[in-house]
Amino acid sequence: MAKRSIDNSIDNSWAAGFFDGEGCVNRTCSSKKCIALRIGQSHLSVLRRFKKIFRVGKIYGPYVAKPIGNYKCKPKYMYQVAKFDKVKMIITKIWPYLDKVKREQILDLIS
């Protein structure tokens, strides 16, 4: 197996685990092709890593919530891909590594 292929496999499996825990896919209109992939996160560097792997999408933020009592909220960032072909490309690459629950959520959305 070539080194780049191994690197892609490692990157895709890492991305799948991160997306599995932190991400979601939503419908943005009534068409099956209107979907967006989103990941919310307070650590910008992690979102940048995800974006670097797939070379698509945009990171929005920071969004700062009002403090709750003495608790100061961390700024939040949002990674988003809203073009069907780009979402499909990401899902295709991470599909083999996704948990059954996340796969079912995606299938429910596109069926």
Side-chain angles (χ1 to χ4, degrees), residues 6-36:
I6 293 170
D7 290 347
N8 285 343
S9 177
I10 292 169
D11 286 343
N12 291 343
S13 62
W14 174 87
F18 179 59
F19 175 74
D20 218 339
E22 302 292 331
C24 66
V25 179
N26 315 76
R27 188 164 290 155
T28 58
C29 73
S30 60
S31 169
K32 290 180 183 177
K33 289 198 171 195
C34 292
I35 61 173

Side-chain angles (χ1 to χ4, degrees), residues 78-90:
M78 178 68 66
Y79 170 82
Q80 177 175 295
V81 178
K83 293 187 178 181
F84 179 79
D85 59 328
K86 305 297 183 190
V87 173
K88 183 180 175 184
M89 178 268 298
I90 293 172

Side-chain angles (χ1 to χ4, degrees), residues 49-102:
R49 179 178 177 188
F50 192 93
K51 183 180 178 198
K52 184 178 178 183
I53 291 169
F54 300 109
R55 297 185 178 117
V56 296
K58 186 166 179 164
I59 299 172
Y60 298 92
Y63 303 105
V64 181
K66 293 181 182 179
I68 302 169
N70 291 332
Y71 179 75
K72 185 177 177 183
C73 300
K74 293 180 183 179
K76 304 286 188 218
Y77 299 89
M78 178 68 66
Y79 170 82
Q80 177 175 295
V81 178
K83 293 187 178 181
F84 179 79
D85 59 328
K86 305 297 183 190
V87 173
K88 183 180 175 184
M89 178 268 298
I90 293 172
I91 296 299
T92 300
K93 289 184 176 186
I94 65 175
W95 188 263
Y97 311 102
L98 288 176
D99 187 72
K100 180 183 176 188
V101 173
K102 189 63 82 174

